[in-house]
Amino acid sequence: MSTETLLADRVELTDLFTRFSLLLDEKRWDEAGGVFAEDVTVHSPRGGSLTGLDNVVGFMRKAEVEGESTQHITTDLLIDFHGDGASVAANSLVYFFRDGQAPHMNSGLRLTCDAVRTPAGWRFREWRITPLWIREN
């Protein structure tokens, strides 16, 4: 893999994490296909294991809390490429708040995922969320 391709793939995978954060923070559920592969599997403490894009989107819609917003900040991406796939680990801080108010809860998460190159670009195929800590204010 050329250095130019490697750098372009790293940028695209970093952007994929940003698109995922915005999807969650702005409740852009209809844009989930731009982040996840159709056969995605998500493992989370809140939803258990969910397989398939429709099931994941359905869970995200159901998990919405009326009047609550979030801000996801993802950092420390570590990417390991293997052919047309990649394993990615990252840390995430999540702030839970109501409009115009300071956060009432925040958490630190470890994110690990497997991504795959598709004709439409990189997509998450498997996603694991591990809570590291939660603080209620």
Side-chain angles (χ1 to χ4, degrees):
M1 180 180 298
S2 74
T3 301
E4 189 174 298
T5 300
L6 182 64
L7 291 174
D9 285 343
R10 285 185 183 281
V11 168
E12 189 174 345
L13 283 165
T14 300
D15 286 352
L16 191 61
F17 273 86
T18 301
R19 284 199 314 272
F20 176 67
S21 293
L22 290 173
L23 179 144
L24 294 174
D25 294 342
E26 298 176 3
K27 300 172 176 66
R28 297 180 183 180
W29 313 133
D30 294 335
E31 297 177 18
V35 174
F36 294 114
E38 283 290 327
D39 61 347
V40 65
T41 299
V42 174
H43 309 277
S44 80
R46 290 178 63 199
S49 291
L50 302 162
T51 300
L53 184 60
D54 290 340
N55 288 331
V56 170
V57 171
F59 174 78
M60 289 189 298
R61 287 181 194 277
K62 245 181 16 182
E64 275 187 62
V65 175
E66 181 74 30
E68 184 175 73
S69 296
T70 58
Q71 181 182 29
H72 290 73
I73 300 169
T74 304
T75 185
D76 303 329
L77 271 69
L78 181 61
I79 303 169
D80 180 30
F81 291 99
H82 39 85
D84 281 337
S87 299
V88 187
N91 291 311
S92 185
L93 295 173
V94 184
Y95 296 90
F96 299 84
F97 64 96
R98 301 198 186 290
D99 285 345
Q101 298 179 14
H104 58 85
M105 183 170 62
N106 53 348
S107 65
L109 308 173
R110 177 76 30 82
L111 308 173
T112 55
C113 71
D114 294 322
V116 62
R117 186 192 317 269
T118 72
W122 285 93
R123 298 293 183 266
F124 294 124
R125 175 158 287 150
E126 187 160 4
W127 187 263
R128 292 169 243 27
I129 302 165
T130 305
L132 301 176
W133 56 266
I134 296 174
R135 181 176 71 189
E136 294 188 35
N137 301 331

